[in-house]
Amino acid sequence: MNKTLREAIIAGNWKMNKTRPEAKSLIEELKPMVANANCGVVICVPFTNLETALQLTQGSNIKVGAENCHFEKSGAFTGEISADMLAEMGVEYVVIGHSERRQYFGETDETVNKRTRAAIEAGLKVILCVGEMLEDRENNITEELISMQTKIALKGVTRDELKNVIIAYEPVWAIGTGKTATADQAAEVCGFIRETIAKIYDQEAANGMTIQYGGSMNAKNAAELLSKEDVDGGLIGGASLKAPDFTAIVNAANEG
Ligand code: PEP
């Protein structure tokens, strides 16, 4: 069982939710609830909540991530935040290539690759999102698409740098829709991503890589999804906004 070689990580993606006072109360509620987790616990929060999250999680087992970063180091990119800016604050993780960025903000496989490399160079850990649209699944091209997204995103990333990359398999049709992939569907694609990593790098690198599932994971379905050999945690949207729901998923990962 290679699952024991990898760290299971449950990461919350708050998206564009929570003012600072709301963030403060959620983190304060969450902290004691997940204090005994034996998996990694990360909250990826809006830029405006990073400082609050970093302060409140000091000395706890909760790590803090951002939801995006730009690929340039600095310059005339109004409204953008660089990877160095995040790293300097003490942020550890950043989500790159989320399907909402791809769908609504013109993110392409190429810009995902640039952002991934910039984030790694700045010393951040990347939660790299890949996933097919419903149409792709219906056209039976899920594997081709996932393979292409993964290969392009990791272009120029060395084997050594790969230890700072987590891949989140997020079928677009399951995000925020309440439609979860079945545990078998999630396991199948997470396993396929691992095979792809083995082809690009080698089997040892693939065996050590944390591959999460994301898409309407919740307190009820988490245990089954996380019990699968190739599913090493989750990227959680909606259910990360309520401490008891997020904690239930962390507890499921503890058992998974
Ligand atoms: C996400 O935002 O990455 C996500 C998986 O959202 P949800 O859990 O709400 O489907």
Side-chain angles (χ1 to χ4, degrees):
M1 289 276 282
N2 289 315
K3 203 170 168 98
T4 52
L5 300 173
R6 310 185 273 270
E7 189 191 16
I9 298 176
I10 300 297
N13 172 23
W14 288 11
K15 312 193 190 206
M16 195 174 73
N17 291 296
K18 305 289 176 191
T19 60
R20 284 187 303 167
E22 287 167 351
K24 185 170 182 284
S25 65
L26 174 53
I27 294 166
E28 276 171 351
E29 190 185 354
L30 189 63
K31 254 195 313 191
M33 293 175 91
V34 298
N36 297 320
N38 60 20
C39 63
V41 180
V42 182
I43 51 171
C44 300
V45 304
F47 292 128
T48 48
N49 287 330
L50 287 171
E51 189 84 60
T52 306
L54 287 165
Q55 272 171 17
L56 290 174
T57 56
Q58 253 178 41
S60 83
N61 60 329
I62 303 176
K63 312 271 194 231
V64 175
E67 298 176 13
N68 185 30
C69 70
H70 198 260
F71 43 82
E72 294 293 346
K73 281 193 154 312
S74 62
F77 300 98
T78 303
E80 291 297 317
I81 305 277
S82 75
D84 285 343
M85 289 171 178
L86 298 176
E88 185 278 330
M89 290 182 80
V91 170
E92 266 186 70
Y93 287 82
V94 62
V95 177
I96 300 285
H98 191 278
S99 65
E100 287 152 15
R101 305 264 355 141
R102 294 179 192 253
Q103 266 180 294
Y104 308 132
F105 301 101
E107 191 81 75
T108 64
D109 290 336
E110 284 70 28
T111 56
V112 168
N113 173 246
K114 284 172 147 187
R115 287 182 216 275
T116 299
R117 285 163 58 182
I120 293 171
E121 201 179 310
L124 298 172
K125 295 192 172 87
V126 173
I127 301 177
L128 169 64
C129 301
V130 297
E132 82 286 3
M133 313 271 277
L134 185 58
E135 201 186 333
D136 303 319
R137 181 163 280 268
E138 285 170 354
N139 286 330
N140 220 11
I141 56 165
T142 299
E143 291 195 348
E144 284 87 342
L145 199 103
I146 298 288
S147 162
M148 193 176 73
Q149 288 180 346
T150 306
K151 284 180 182 162
I152 298 176
L154 294 175
K155 213 168 50 179
V157 174
T158 66
R159 187 190 189 284
D160 189 46
E161 288 170 336
L162 202 64
K163 63 178 184 302
N164 291 322
V165 179
I166 290 161
I167 295 185
Y169 166 54
E170 298 212 306
V172 181
W173 47 272
I175 297 180
T177 59
K179 267 193 218 159
T180 319
T182 64
D184 286 339
Q185 283 172 327
E188 192 183 356
V189 182
C190 289
F192 175 76
I193 293 170
R194 203 175 302 289
E195 282 168 29
T196 306
I197 296 297
K199 278 188 199 141
I200 312 174
Y201 298 92
D202 55 56
Q203 193 60 53
E204 195 188 350
N207 288 346
M209 175 156 228
T210 296
I211 302 179
Q212 300 171 317
Y213 166 78
S216 300
M217 196 188 277
N218 58 41
K220 288 205 181 97
N221 59 29
E224 195 188 353
L225 287 158
L226 295 169
S227 70
K228 294 289 179 183
E229 166 69 17
D230 279 307
V231 181
D232 308 314
L235 183 57
I236 322 297
S240 70
L241 299 174
K242 291 200 178 115
D245 293 6
F246 190 64
T247 302
I249 299 173
V250 169
N251 290 340
N254 287 343
E255 280 151 33

